[in-house]
Amino acid sequence: MNGLELVKAAMKRQEVERVPWVPFVGAHAGHLLGLNATTYFKSEQHIIDGAEEAIKKYNPDGIPVTFDLQIEAEVLGCELKWSDDNPPAVVSHPLADGSLKLEDLKVPCRCKGRIATVMNAATKIKEAHPDVALYGLITGPFTLALHLMGTDIFMKLFEDPEYVGKVMDYCTKVGKAMSNYYIEAGCDVVAVVDPMVSQIDPMSFEMFVSPYCKEVFSHIRECGALSSFFVCGNATQNIEEMCKCEPDNISIDENIPLDFLKEQCDKYEISFGGNMKLTSVLLIGTPEDCKFEAIECMDIGGKKGFILAPGCDLPMATPPENLEAIAEIVHDEYQQDVLRTKGQTAKDVELLDLENYFTNDKVKIDVITLDSEGCAPCQYMMQAVELAVKEIGADNIEYVEHKIKNQEGIQMMLSLGVRNLPTICIDGTIEFISIIPPKTELVKCIQGHLDKKAVVNS
């Protein structure tokens, strides 16, 4: 079987000769070309060249055209903040700031903005590599709605559900149009990437996500393509609801145990993928670490219905030799057996001494993230903290983001006992895990810590 055939067979839950390998190459493709992320994401030719380089180096069975969840938001009027080493971030929300009304928004055409850039690139990548499964990534309806509405959406879920429903209906229309464009451009798989669904409870998911995503997946199926539901963050509580949306595949990151995902997907006869650790292994680990990680995931996933992939979009500076090592082990069953026999000793991470880190005169807020510049849930959690601190207006509050893209961030995460991202810790206490709290709730929580300090100092 070639790569495309392997991916299709896995998504149809057929037994395969080996586990298919799909590296989620986004900004990392720019790194392969020696470009910054901004230059890469804005150029049709760079996207083509980046995919070409990734296919040459990593021998994948499938690959995304690109990985950018701001393409739709940009053409719909959201302002973007561009970065050298991450995809752009949405920094304005036209339905929240009043610059646009919902009735003003139209479904963008294929020729609009960077939609055209990506679709033209997709066509040329597919023509050059017909045997590689090409993934077109669309922004999921709930994440797109949040881009348009900002964090107001979390309050309006309860205060004005009818309006949220109308926004979701519009975002669904955009998702179906984008699916059409990718399929027409030659993509074999349309992935609905909706990271923000990890931030809501199952009841809200069932009401505000399920009917809309189910409509998108049904549309993709009617168009003759395969579908995948991408989520990042601790969406464990929503996996069963995701299955009920009837995608062909669900792909997760390290926040969700792969064996749990397998159990749920087997129940609903859906294929699944993931969930290699993005930072502690792929970004800062060794090639051997990456081989062992790949084997562990493949042994859990098995050869029926599983696709090996990073937990999400690859960090831009991921060492190519780490991904080349995965490609090597995926295609070499003998080497897999050798490494299984050899076993692995887990790397020890030295915990930080936090004895003097917290003080009686200041409330310390530690936000553990992947990277707020490149991860939507992390971005909106940091935004929630900033807004809450600003509203309180006290001088004795300090907030710090710890990105687990570096050793210090990993050390802080483990030292605080954090297991899922993003997470807010206040004075060493884990307060909000993979949930973006409403501003009123976060303000109340921070104020409670301030009051405790006042009692101690009185």
Side-chain angles (χ1 to χ4, degrees):
M1 286 185 173
N2 62 34
L4 174 58
E5 291 167 340
L6 269 177
V7 170
K8 283 185 173 181
M11 284 202 173
K12 294 176 181 177
R13 293 181 57 83
Q14 299 169 359
E15 197 81 26
V16 292
E17 57 198 38
R18 66 169 175 82
V19 173
W21 152 237
V22 180
F24 299 146
V25 177
H28 176 71
H31 179 68
L32 293 179
L33 301 174
L35 303 170
N36 65 39
T38 298
T39 302
Y40 163 74
F41 280 115
K42 289 184 176 182
S43 166
E44 173 187 325
Q45 191 59 51
H46 291 331
I47 291 173
I48 295 167
D49 293 343
E52 185 72 37
E53 193 66 18
I55 291 170
K56 185 194 312 179
K57 282 183 174 292
Y58 306 143
N59 195 12
D61 298 299
I63 198 164
V65 180
T66 191
F67 206 122
D68 179 354
L69 303 187
Q70 288 66 234
I71 294 171
E72 297 96 323
E74 182 183 24
V75 300
L76 296 178
C78 296
E79 293 179 14
L80 303 186
K81 178 184 177 183
W82 290 88
S83 167
D84 285 344
D85 53 9
N86 281 303
V90 170
V91 295
S92 75
H93 313 285
L95 294 183
D97 62 27
S99 58
L100 285 174
K101 293 183 178 180
L102 181 58
E103 53 267 30
D104 297 329
L105 291 171
K106 308 298 180 186
V107 174
C109 70
R110 187 190 188 280
C111 60
K112 188 85 170 177
R114 288 189 302 121
I115 295 176
T117 299
V118 173
M119 298 307 160
N120 292 341
T123 299
K124 292 174 183 176
I125 294 167
K126 190 60 185 177
E127 287 173 352
H129 299 279
D131 293 337
V132 175
L134 191 60
Y135 282 56
L137 275 53
I138 70 171
T139 308
F142 190 75
T143 296
L144 183 56
L146 194 144
H147 284 334
L148 293 170
M149 295 177 63
T151 53
D152 287 353
I153 192 173
F154 295 109
M155 291 299 294
K156 289 190 179 295
L157 291 177
F158 307 100
E159 295 177 351
D160 195 351
E162 184 178 353
Y163 178 71
V164 174
K166 290 178 180 178
V167 177
M168 287 296 296
D169 186 61
Y170 167 74
C171 292
T172 300
K173 289 182 172 68
V174 174
K176 290 165 69 175
M178 290 293 291
S179 299
N180 290 342
Y181 305 153
Y182 273 118
I183 294 167
E184 291 163 3
C187 289
D188 308 286
V189 180
V190 176
V192 178
V193 190
D194 217 340
M196 298 309 300
V197 302
S198 65
Q199 305 298 301
I200 57 176
D201 62 87
M203 185 178 297
S204 297
F205 188 105
E206 185 178 4
M207 181 178 295
F208 294 104
V209 177
S210 294
Y212 307 100
C213 282
K214 191 170 184 177
E215 184 177 340
V216 175
F217 291 125
S218 176
H219 178 77
I220 294 168
R221 190 175 300 111
E222 290 171 2
C223 292
L226 294 164
S227 64
S228 182
F229 201 163
F230 281 29
V231 66
C232 66
N234 185 18
T236 305
Q237 62 182 352
N238 289 325
I239 291 298
E240 187 157 16
E241 290 301 323
M242 291 173 66
C243 290
K244 292 177 182 178
C245 292
E246 300 178 1
D248 294 302
N249 174 268
I250 291 176
S251 192
I252 59 160
D253 71 9
E254 64 206 73
N255 281 280
I256 302 173
L258 190 58
D259 54 358
F260 171 79
L261 178 68
K262 174 178 169 59
E263 179 184 340
Q264 294 296 311
C265 287
D266 284 350
K267 176 181 173 182
Y268 286 91
E269 298 187 341
I270 293 171
S271 73
F272 60 104
N275 68 337
M276 298 188 69
K277 298 180 181 67
L278 289 174
T279 57
S280 59
V281 175
L282 298 181
L283 179 62
I284 63 176
T286 66
E288 186 164 272
D289 294 333
C290 295
K291 289 182 178 181
F292 279 116
E293 175 80 357
I295 287 174
E296 183 177 350
C297 290
M298 288 191 289
D299 285 348
I300 295 172
K303 293 183 178 179
K304 183 179 179 180
F306 175 64
I307 295 172
L308 179 69
C312 194
D313 181 20
L314 285 162
M316 186 169 185
T318 301
E321 57 267 26
N322 283 358
L323 300 171
E324 289 171 331
I326 298 168
E328 180 184 343
I329 200 72
V330 164
H331 290 273
D332 190 337
E333 195 165 338
Y334 171 75
Q335 190 179 156
Q336 292 174 26
D337 291 338
V338 170
L339 287 174
R340 286 189 186 99
T341 302
K342 184 177 177 183
Q344 180 189 29
T345 301
K347 290 170 60 178
D348 292 326
V349 175
E350 183 179 353
L351 299 183
L352 300 171
D353 181 1
L354 300 178
E355 184 178 354
N356 298 316
Y357 182 71
F358 303 106
T359 63
N360 289 330
D361 62 341
K362 184 175 293 186
V363 169
K364 179 66 73 73
I365 304 173
D366 295 288
V367 190
I368 313 299
T369 72
L370 175 61
D371 185 344
S372 64
E373 290 187 355
C375 159
C378 302
Q379 173 193 344
Y380 288 116
M381 182 170 275
M382 280 302 300
Q383 187 179 96
V385 171
E386 291 166 6
L387 291 173
V389 171
K390 183 178 180 181
E391 177 159 317
I392 295 171
D395 293 332
N396 57 336
I397 305 174
E398 179 182 343
Y399 62 91
V400 183
E401 178 183 7
H402 303 278
K403 305 175 183 181
I404 67 161
K405 284 187 174 181
N406 56 54
Q407 190 69 17
E408 182 278 331
I410 293 172
Q411 286 180 298
M412 181 59 81
M413 178 182 75
L414 296 176
S415 300
L416 290 169
V418 171
R419 294 178 179 270
N420 301 109
L421 302 178
T423 288
I424 297 174
C425 299
I426 305 179
D427 286 336
T429 300
I430 296 174
E431 297 286 7
F432 300 98
I433 304 171
S434 199
I435 286 288
I436 298 172
K439 186 169 68 172
T440 53
E441 186 177 345
L442 183 53
V443 167
K444 181 180 178 181
C445 184
I446 297 171
Q447 189 61 55
H449 284 270
L450 283 170
D451 294 342
K452 288 178 185 178
K453 300 284 186 187
V455 171
V456 170
N457 293 322
S458 61

